[in-house]
Amino acid sequence: MRFRRIAALLLAALFPLLNTGQAQAAGYRYWSFWERGGDAWTYATEGPATARPADGDVQGFRFSVSEDSQDASQPRGTADFATICADTPARDGRKRVALVIDFGTAPDAPSGETPPPARTACAQVAPDATTAEALAAVAKPLRYDTNALLCAISGYPHKGCGEQVSAERKPARESGEESGSGPSLGVVAGLAAVAVLGAAAGWQARRRRHD
């Protein structure tokens, strides 16, 4: 009876752990918007339609599949403002905004589409221009949905906008980025609990043989 109580308690604790993998959130395929300070990218706190970069700012866009801002892939490349805007002389009454446009990797691409190579551009726009206006100056055609969500840059992707991707189909992280490839805590704990149950069952069987 004592073994049965122990087994019941272990199974009760094990059940939610074994189901942890089933509760993985799905990802979404979309263009994320980033701001760069020094050598670091920061996920933008507002959309490109309202952000108003200053002259000399570096901003980026990355197309990928991610669950949220904590999981999103950053734009790749190390080009800074001086490099990106080297061939665009300063002009009175205009500002220059350096843009990094990363179309993502093949696993992130919608079915049947191939991402173009990542590129940079220097937009020279009015002093009060938004990031969206700077992007439109160098990367048309842009496509938005009815909720003003940015769906495509330079025509990529050709269709779709922020569509959901199941957890099973979510692309793996590229080399150098954090990955969820190792076993989850729930799986490890579950295997440990199964091992404990097996040992307890063996001990109980041996005890009965000796009684």
Side-chain angles (χ1 to χ4, degrees):
M1 292 298 293
R2 182 179 181 184
F3 168 71
R4 290 179 181 176
R5 287 197 296 270
I6 294 173
L9 289 172
L10 283 171
L11 285 173
L14 173 61
F15 184 78
L17 291 172
L18 289 179
N19 281 277
T20 299
Q22 302 299 322
Q24 292 178 349
Y28 294 86
R29 182 181 285 116
Y30 68 101
W31 280 101
S32 56
F33 173 41
W34 301 78
E35 298 173 337
R36 189 165 174 173
D39 296 329
W41 286 109
T42 302
Y43 201 93
T45 57
E46 59 183 315
T50 57
R52 296 185 186 277
D55 181 74
D57 281 354
V58 180
Q59 300 192 313
F61 293 86
R62 171 70 187 265
F63 188 78
S64 66
V65 174
S66 60
E67 293 175 14
D68 52 39
S69 61
Q70 300 300 315
D71 183 56
S73 297
Q74 300 178 0
R76 294 166 293 175
T78 59
D80 56 14
F81 176 81
T83 302
I84 296 172
C85 289
D87 297 328
T88 306
R91 287 175 51 192
D92 290 339
R94 308 286 284 180
K95 68 180 177 184
R96 292 176 297 168
V97 181
L99 297 172
V100 177
I101 306 170
D102 188 338
F103 296 88
T105 63
D108 286 318
S111 178
E113 298 203 44
T114 301
R119 68 184 183 92
T120 61
C122 184
Q124 194 163 60
V125 290
D128 63 345
T130 64
T131 301
E133 291 171 322
L135 187 64
V138 297
K140 288 181 178 180
L142 305 180
R143 178 165 56 85
Y144 293 87
D145 71 359
T146 55
N147 296 313
L149 176 66
L150 179 62
C151 303
I153 298 176
S154 295
Y156 181 83
H158 299 302
K159 59 182 180 179
C161 191
E163 64 270 22
Q164 191 175 52
V165 177
S166 66
E168 291 77 13
R169 296 180 57 194
K170 185 180 176 183
R173 291 283 190 181
E174 59 193 79
S175 177
E177 294 184 339
E178 290 187 7
S179 166
S181 58
S184 69
L185 176 62
V187 172
V188 172
L191 291 174
V194 169
V196 171
L197 283 173
W203 174 82
Q204 185 75 3
R206 288 195 298 272
R207 181 180 177 183
R208 286 177 179 173
R209 285 198 297 270
H210 290 296
D211 288 344

